Amino acid sequence: MIRPMTAADVPAVKSLQTQLEYADPELVDAAVCGQFYGRVAVAGAPAGYAIVLPGTPATLAELVVAPAHRRHGHGRPLVQAGDAAADATTIDVLTPADHAAATPVSAAVGFQPGGRRPDFSTDGTDPPRLVRRSSRT
């Protein structure tokens, strides 16, 4: 089951954030407050989450599925729920330039290469930009 993120999910989601190399705990708080779109996959307890930032295009800021729940069909529904909540025609995801493992995972949930995003990172690298077209377009 996928549902909106609530305050009760914060401890579990912040624990899942430890799976990320680059995570921002403030995104979770903002998603619960409604500034961003937070969605949680529940399998008894939170099994994963997605946070989408509104905009044109919307941005998938974080997507995590707990290791024990990977390959059980949570990633794509989380992205789809974030897509629906943001009501955007496209969603971007930016990955660290040296994070090759993110590209196959992103492709599995519908993202395609979209070039690089210059001047985005403070370290001077241009992260790969992956794009997912909404199913509503």
Side-chain angles (χ1 to χ4, degrees):
M1 174 179 78
I2 307 295
R3 62 168 173 72
M5 191 180 294
T6 68
D9 298 317
V10 170
V13 170
K14 287 188 176 182
S15 177
L16 287 169
Q17 273 189 318
T18 64
Q19 300 294 313
L20 294 174
E21 187 174 341
Y22 303 95
D24 183 353
E26 291 180 11
L27 287 177
V28 176
D29 299 327
V32 169
C33 292
Q35 295 170 292
F36 304 141
Y37 303 105
R39 296 298 180 262
V40 177
V42 179
Y49 74 95
I51 298 175
V52 175
L53 312 180
T56 306
T59 301
L60 178 62
E62 293 185 3
L63 173 65
V64 176
V65 175
H69 294 278
R70 291 181 186 157
R71 307 205 50 81
H72 291 111
H74 297 296
R76 186 178 305 273
L78 280 166
V79 172
Q80 290 169 334
D83 177 3
D87 195 28
T89 57
T90 59
I91 295 180
D92 282 2
V93 63
L94 301 174
T95 62
D98 60 349
H99 197 326
T103 302
V105 172
S106 297
V109 295
F111 286 89
Q112 301 296 320
R116 293 195 173 265
R117 183 132 173 223
D119 302 321
F120 180 80
S121 298
T122 57
D123 65 3
T125 60
D126 295 340
R129 176 179 175 253
L130 303 170
V131 178
R132 181 180 189 275
R133 306 264 179 244
S134 171
S135 57
R136 293 179 306 284
T137 58

